[in-house]
Amino acid sequence: MRPVRETDFTRLHGFEVYMVQARLKEKSKFKKYGSLMLFLLPGVLLAFVFCYVPMAGLIMAFKQEIDLTTYTSSIASIIMTPWGGFSQFAKLFAANSDFLRVLGNTLFISVMKIVLVFPVPIILAILITEVKNKVFNKAVQSVMYLPHFLSWAVVASVFMTFMHPNTGALNAILKLFGCSIDVSSANQFPWIMVLTTAWKDIGWSAVAYIAAILAIDTEQYEAAKIDGAGKLKQIWHITLPGIAGTVAVLLIMRIGYLMDAGFEQIYAMLTPTAESKGEIIGTYIYKLAIKNGGSYALTTAAGLFNSVISLVLVLGGNLFCKKVFNRSIW
């Protein structure tokens, strides 16, 4: 079959012309960028091995209780265990189950992190880019980025020391004003998680917004100044619309993590007295599977439910941003 030439368009009409143009365009793109696809292979292989192959284990969510020592191999034990249908999901949502309480804790902490923490890096990025002193600007950015590179184990240790009820420096100051912070308090624990997340992550999160702001054409600001627009009007009519795409993408990604309130953070700081308001799905699954030597089937069911809801949230967040802000990931 001979290749399609542009002169052949004279003999084609309507949809046929569109399809031929699309094929030529894709062919030229592949010819131009095809060699770069080789760089994708390591990432694709890693994702396949570590993300997609383990998904075969999801069949455990639809099995009865699994004993990995029944057969000579754990895989054989999983395969030979009788099917249990949706019995494990029924256990999760049973009246005597803690899963609904844990789900509520997860959603509350995650929503508070989005509502209270997500806008802060945007404001911070705008303030930083308005600072004209480069030395001061770089110094502030460096100080803000540093906490991101600390592990949650280190951050938890520092905050637990500072917020110790008797010897903590922070509590010593707060007591002068008639208040205190207690990590072991169930009512205070979710808000402490929001506070520590803000301290650790807002500086690093601001990087994407700073890059987006610096990419805005400076001629727009110059034109706005000529028209008499003040700094607030420039931010409202130029800066915010200019970074709207970045905000939408990061918001959609953050919504996708709504069911993950931060396992490492909460596991490092959770105390037994705060479990009623601080335990989340991640720590609950860990406790079922590891600490209590528990049910692999029930744990897998909880993880599958978590993943499905996260997928729905990503798709829903993308659709919402596309309809309301005309911005989306795809």
Side-chain angles (χ1 to χ4, degrees), residues 29-205:
K29 272 188 178 181
F30 184 80
K31 186 176 180 181
K32 187 176 182 180
Y33 302 110
S35 59
L36 297 178
M37 292 183 182
L38 293 174
F39 292 98
L40 290 175
L41 286 179
V44 171
L45 289 174
L46 287 174
F48 178 76
V49 172
F50 293 104
C51 296
Y52 289 96
V53 172
M55 288 180 70
L58 292 176
I59 63 171
M60 288 190 291
F62 304 97
K63 294 277 189 174
Q64 296 179 12
E65 292 299 334
I66 298 172
D67 184 0
L68 297 181
T69 61
T70 304
Y71 294 89
T72 55
S73 70
S74 57
I75 295 177
S77 300
I78 294 171
I79 294 174
M80 298 305 295
T81 299
W83 292 98
F86 291 94
S87 61
Q88 301 300 335
F89 294 94
K91 284 183 183 179
L92 276 181
F93 295 99
N96 61 345
S97 172
D98 291 330
F99 186 75
L100 291 178
R101 173 183 60 82
V102 170
L103 176 60
N105 295 342
T106 304
L107 292 175
F108 179 79
I109 294 174
S110 290
V111 169
M112 288 301 101
K113 285 182 178 181
I114 293 176
V115 173
L116 300 179
V117 178
F118 185 82
V120 177
I122 302 173
I123 300 170
L124 193 61
I126 293 173
L127 294 176
I128 288 174
T129 52
E130 291 298 327
V131 176
K132 304 306 178 185
N133 188 316
K134 291 185 178 181
V135 176
F136 179 77
N137 193 313
K138 295 297 181 184
V140 170
Q141 290 185 49
S142 299
V143 171
M144 291 190 310
Y145 299 160
L146 181 61
H148 174 76
F149 298 99
L150 301 176
S151 69
W152 273 115
V154 174
V155 173
S157 178
V158 170
F159 270 86
M160 296 288 271
T161 301
F162 270 89
M163 294 185 295
H164 191 278
N166 300 321
T167 60
L170 182 59
N171 271 324
I173 297 172
L174 291 176
K175 284 178 181 178
L176 299 176
F177 300 93
C179 59
S180 63
I181 296 177
D182 186 4
V183 181
S184 62
S185 170
N187 292 326
Q188 293 186 24
F189 186 82
W191 303 107
I192 293 172
M193 296 302 98
V194 175
L195 173 66
T196 51
T197 298
W199 180 83
K200 186 176 186 295
D201 290 336
I202 58 173
W204 183 255
S205 300

